[in-house]
Amino acid sequence: MRAMKFDFSDKNAELGELYPQHLETVRKRHDHALEQAGAAHAVIFSGAPKYAFLDDHDYPFRPNPHFVSWAPLIRLPLSYIVYTPGEKTVLIYYQPHDYWHPVPGAPDGYWTAQFDIRVVHNVDDVAEHLPEDRDRCIAVGEFDDDAHAFGIDRVNPTTAVNILHYARGPKTAYELACMRLASRRGVAGHLAAAAAFRDNMSEFAINQAYCEATRHIDNELPYSNIIALNEHGAILHYTDLDREAPVELRSFLIDAGAQVHGYASDITRTYGNGDTQFAELIERMETLELDLVSRVKAGVDYRDLHLETHKLIAGVLVDSDLAMGNAETLLATGVTSAFMPHGVGHLLGVQVHDVGGFMENESGATIDPPSGHPYLRLTRVLEEDMVLTIEPGLYIIDMLLENLRGTPAETHVNWNTVDQLRPFGGVRVEDNVRVLADGCENLTRDAFAELL
Ligand code: GLY
Ligand code: MN
Ligand code: MN
């Protein structure tokens, strides 16, 4: 593996070149949101630290994703962006006098030229930098404490917020560049983790190898890593990390991402350890996943892609001798859903499950998932430059398979093969793709090709 030589900093020249155009897009969406909401100023709050009950320790800070869409400032609590159409955007940059915690440094990086930056050292000083007429403001963000809204009554008005959410579907060139970097960063971790698995390491040690290679600390990861050996692969959100390596290493499912300036990657790979039956299952799921990726293009209804996945999963179940019957029957009786009980993917961006996946339009109308598929998180028709995941999976989850007993599905399941594959947990393959007019760009596989 080559050493990672990518510039993730806010001095990255390519990001610096793309950022002004990105902000132009962000400003336009706010112009539209303000107009529709009948307001003159948008005040975007970065968020406040949250404290554990009866304690003075705060949880890891998760910034308001709308704030991060404006500026790559993911560790800047109690700060505000004030946007007024036609005026230079104000950034109220909170830099407390605090000797207990690290404080944000002086504003620095490619983003600074775009803002009229007001550094404040006391929360009380924020008020003087906000528009005087609070009635003409809307505030966007999470306000657990009313004091942080400084008298703005219109907090997250639906009309404006729906417009902002919907518009975040397709990504700007700057966002795509951040996400390509996030993919490379994640893939560097995946390669290190796969090597650690081959060295018979524990889940705990594999996670350390991942964090070391991505140069992330746990709190910066876009979601908690899923590092699952053997049957742990069947627990969809397995986030325990066993400290000891199992005596017998059979399989490894890793779902882990990285982020660059708040933009995430979300990548899954599954590895075997010599068992032919499991290797064949991985191979079939890999082929299935690539087949789905090849169907991604603008105009595709993602619900159809999800239902198509279930038909393909039926084929894999039959080829793997896990089930008997035609695809229609295996879908109708719930067999495919028992083996793949999650959606085939979701929007990705500044949130791992990016907002707006169910939105039919900017007015807030929603599109339901197909009946019987409540966990599908993306129901939109795909548009150019959306970034989404394709993540089919197949697992031995006894809780779900047992529900098939005593139903018409029972006779379609080959319970002996279920027993044989249970110790391997499951298989998931997850790529991040950018929708194009007539196909897609595979951020994940491009990154693997570059780093391998
Ligand atoms: N890692 C979370 C997901 O794949 O959706
Ligand atoms: Mn994932
Ligand atoms: Mn995902």
Side-chain angles (χ1 to χ4, degrees), residues 303-324:
R303 291 172 303 176
D304 292 342
L305 200 64
H306 176 83
L307 294 175
E308 204 55 42
T309 306
H310 276 263
K311 287 190 198 151
L312 296 171
I313 288 281
V316 169
L317 290 172
V318 172
D319 292 346
S320 308
D321 205 24
L322 277 162
M324 293 80 76

Side-chain angles (χ1 to χ4, degrees), residues 86-318:
E87 293 181 14
K88 188 151 189 178
T89 308
V90 171
L91 168 62
I92 307 173
Y93 188 101
Y94 179 58
Q95 191 186 46
H97 292 302
D98 179 352
Y99 58 88
W100 294 98
H101 306 99
V103 294
D108 189 21
Y110 57 73
W111 50 276
T112 52
Q114 299 295 323
F115 294 98
D116 170 1
I117 302 174
R118 321 271 177 90
V119 177
V120 298
H121 304 297
N122 293 302
V123 172
D124 291 343
D125 295 340
V126 167
E128 70 188 78
H129 299 286
L130 293 172
E132 272 178 29
D133 190 351
R134 305 284 206 273
D135 288 344
R136 301 192 67 217
C137 294
I138 59 169
V140 176
E142 187 179 22
F143 294 90
D144 291 336
D145 181 344
D146 287 346
H148 293 144
F150 288 97
I152 301 173
D153 286 335
R154 298 186 67 193
V155 172
N156 300 319
T158 315
T159 311
V161 164
N162 280 339
I163 289 169
L164 298 179
H165 287 174
Y166 188 70
R168 273 180 33 204
K171 303 303 189 266
T172 64
Y174 165 80
E175 292 176 304
L176 293 168
C178 288
M179 295 179 83
R180 285 187 199 103
L181 286 171
S183 297
R184 291 173 191 161
R185 195 171 189 173
V187 164
H190 272 258
L191 294 174
F197 167 64
R198 285 191 294 273
D199 286 345
N200 297 341
M201 291 196 177
S202 67
E203 294 169 346
F204 183 77
I206 294 171
N207 188 57
Q208 283 184 316
Y210 183 91
C211 290
E212 165 75 28
T214 54
R215 309 204 69 70
H216 268 315
I217 53 173
D218 263 4
N219 287 348
E220 295 168 345
L221 293 168
Y223 56 93
S224 297
N225 286 345
I226 297 167
I227 306 275
L229 295 173
N230 299 345
E231 44 279 275
H232 291 159
I235 302 170
L236 297 184
H237 285 171
Y238 174 81
T239 51
D240 287 354
L241 294 167
D242 272 359
R243 306 309 190 257
E244 303 298 328
V247 174
E248 190 189 4
L249 268 181
R250 295 179 290 269
S251 62
F252 174 36
L253 186 155
I254 169 169
D255 183 344
Q259 54 96 0
V260 169
H261 300 314
Y263 289 87
S265 57
D266 176 8
I267 302 167
T268 308
R269 289 293 182 267
T270 309
Y271 305 94
N273 194 23
D275 182 89
T276 311
Q277 191 183 18
F278 190 62
E280 284 172 1
L281 183 61
I282 294 176
E283 190 62 37
R284 289 189 182 107
M285 289 301 289
E286 175 89 6
T287 305
L288 184 157
E289 194 262 356
L290 287 170
D291 183 345
L292 293 172
V293 167
S294 76
R295 298 173 195 225
V296 171
K297 62 177 177 180
V300 166
D301 185 328
Y302 200 73
R303 291 172 303 176
D304 292 342
L305 200 64
H306 176 83
L307 294 175
E308 204 55 42
T309 306
H310 276 263
K311 287 190 198 151
L312 296 171
I313 288 281
V316 169
L317 290 172
V318 172

Side-chain angles (χ1 to χ4, degrees), residues 223 255 266-268 343-348 352-353 377 388-391 428 430-432:
Y223 56 93
D255 183 344
D266 176 8
I267 302 167
T268 308
V344 70
H346 49 85
L347 289 176
L348 182 69
V352 177
H353 297 158
R377 292 194 188 94
L388 44 101
T389 68
I390 297 290
E391 51 178 305
R428 180 162 67 254
E430 178 175 26
D431 285 346
N432 305 159

